[in-house]
Amino acid sequence: MSEPALQHNIGDDPLMIAGRAYQSRLLVGTGKYRDLAQTGEAIAASGAEIVTVAIRRTNIGQNPDEPNLLDVISPDRYTLLPNTAGCFTAEDAVRTCRLARELLDGHKLVKLEVLGDPTTLYPDMAATFDAAETLIADGFDVMVYCIDDPIACRRLEEMGCVAVMPLAAPIGSGLGIQNRYNILTIVENANVPILVDAGVGTASDAAIAMELGCDGVLMNTAIAEARDPVLMASAMRHAIIGGRQALKAGRMPRRRNASASSPSDGLLDA
């Protein structure tokens, strides 16, 4: 069940991507659900406003005889983020984005991913750079999946990507953030939104990403493969909000020794 009264952020704190403001910092995918009805319910419970769609694997009108995802994920309610999942060359990724633009009436915002091999699903960064350069020159607003390398992320930003999306761990692994130092370094040196993409397994992983200063988190498997996807979607919604609030509140300093939570002055004698 969705929770419309829940505030995503503190006051005036939207996520800005390609000049548009979003109240939710949770982005979700549409794969691996039991059926379209469950897909719609989970996405509604997540509170997400941006929903990513694998153009090569999902029907959004290409096949009129098959169920259409847009029947449960309306473009009037959500910002659709076509992605190039399943592409292993720059050429295929560019072609897929251009197809999405045709299907969605000139839609420019895309999520680029060019995979290196089918086992790890790690990005092929050389091909990713090539595809990003081509797409940006072609007028696309590119959000890009990449390795958690500060130098690679900086290069993608300098090329003109509107958001950079380093992995936390391999796609679908649920391992959580494996290199917090790299993610923190990427965040501290970025001038575009940094969103953790891939590897989140549970709500605490999402909260950690936000506490590190990430602007958002994109996930699919962590919700879709939960025992109760709709409940997990709600948990992720709260985790993103809690992590962002903790970042803004400022955590207490870490100490090696104890520090009493009650004052020591005026203690009664035993």
Side-chain angles (χ1 to χ4, degrees):
M1 181 179 296
S2 62
E3 302 173 57
L6 185 64
Q7 296 299 311
H8 289 274
N9 299 310
I10 300 173
D12 185 19
D13 185 31
L15 169 63
M16 299 295 301
I17 295 180
R20 182 171 176 180
Y22 298 93
Q23 289 304 304
S24 175
R25 293 175 177 272
L26 174 60
L27 292 70
V28 295
T30 58
K32 302 184 178 181
Y33 287 99
R34 181 183 65 232
D35 51 35
L36 285 184
Q38 187 183 67
T39 304
E41 291 175 13
I43 291 174
S46 76
E49 296 170 89
I50 300 177
V51 180
T52 188
V53 178
I55 296 299
R56 290 166 62 98
R57 299 170 177 166
T58 305
N59 181 36
I60 58 170
Q62 311 96 301
N63 302 309
D65 298 328
E66 296 181 6
N68 190 331
L69 180 67
L70 300 187
D71 291 338
V72 295
I73 308 298
S74 170
D76 294 331
R77 178 176 179 182
Y78 301 100
T79 294
L80 297 185
L81 180 62
N83 70 60
T84 61
C87 292
F88 289 85
T89 68
E91 293 76 16
D92 280 351
V94 170
R95 189 180 306 113
T96 300
C97 288
R98 288 172 175 164
L99 172 62
R101 183 166 60 185
E102 292 180 12
L103 290 170
L104 297 172
D105 298 323
H107 188 87
K108 296 197 305 178
L109 185 66
V110 295
K111 179 196 167 190
L112 171 64
E113 54 183 88
V114 186
L115 304 177
D117 71 83
T119 301
T120 66
L121 299 181
Y122 263 64
D124 179 334
M125 290 310 300
T128 298
F129 291 138
D130 289 344
E133 185 174 35
T134 299
L135 290 169
I136 292 167
D138 199 18
F140 285 92
D141 292 326
V142 178
M143 301 173 67
V144 57
Y145 165 68
C146 61
I147 59 175
D148 58 345
D149 172 24
I151 306 304
C153 290
R154 183 176 65 194
R155 180 176 175 186
L156 289 165
E157 176 184 335
E158 291 172 347
M159 290 173 64
C161 294
V162 299
V164 177
M165 309 174 73
L167 55 80
I171 291 173
S173 67
L175 293 172
I177 297 176
Q178 294 298 294
N179 196 331
R180 297 188 191 186
Y181 172 78
N182 274 23
I183 297 296
L184 184 60
T185 302
I186 292 165
V187 167
E188 289 177 340
N189 292 282
N191 294 301
V192 296
I194 301 297
L195 298 91
V196 157
D197 179 15
V200 168
T202 191
S204 58
D205 299 331
I208 288 169
M210 301 307 295
E211 290 172 6
L212 288 171
C214 292
D215 296 282
V217 179
L218 188 150
M219 66 182 73
N220 183 184
T221 306
I223 296 175
E225 290 193 352
R227 186 170 62 250
D228 185 336
V230 176
L231 185 59
M232 182 61 81
S234 177
M236 292 298 188
R237 180 181 188 179
H238 286 81
I240 293 288
I241 297 167
R244 181 68 177 179
Q245 290 179 337
L247 174 73
K248 293 177 71 68
R251 65 156 291 137
M252 61 166 284
R254 291 181 172 88
R255 304 184 179 97
R256 292 184 62 188
N257 298 315
S259 175
S261 57
S262 301
S264 57
D265 294 340
L267 291 178
L268 296 176
D269 292 334

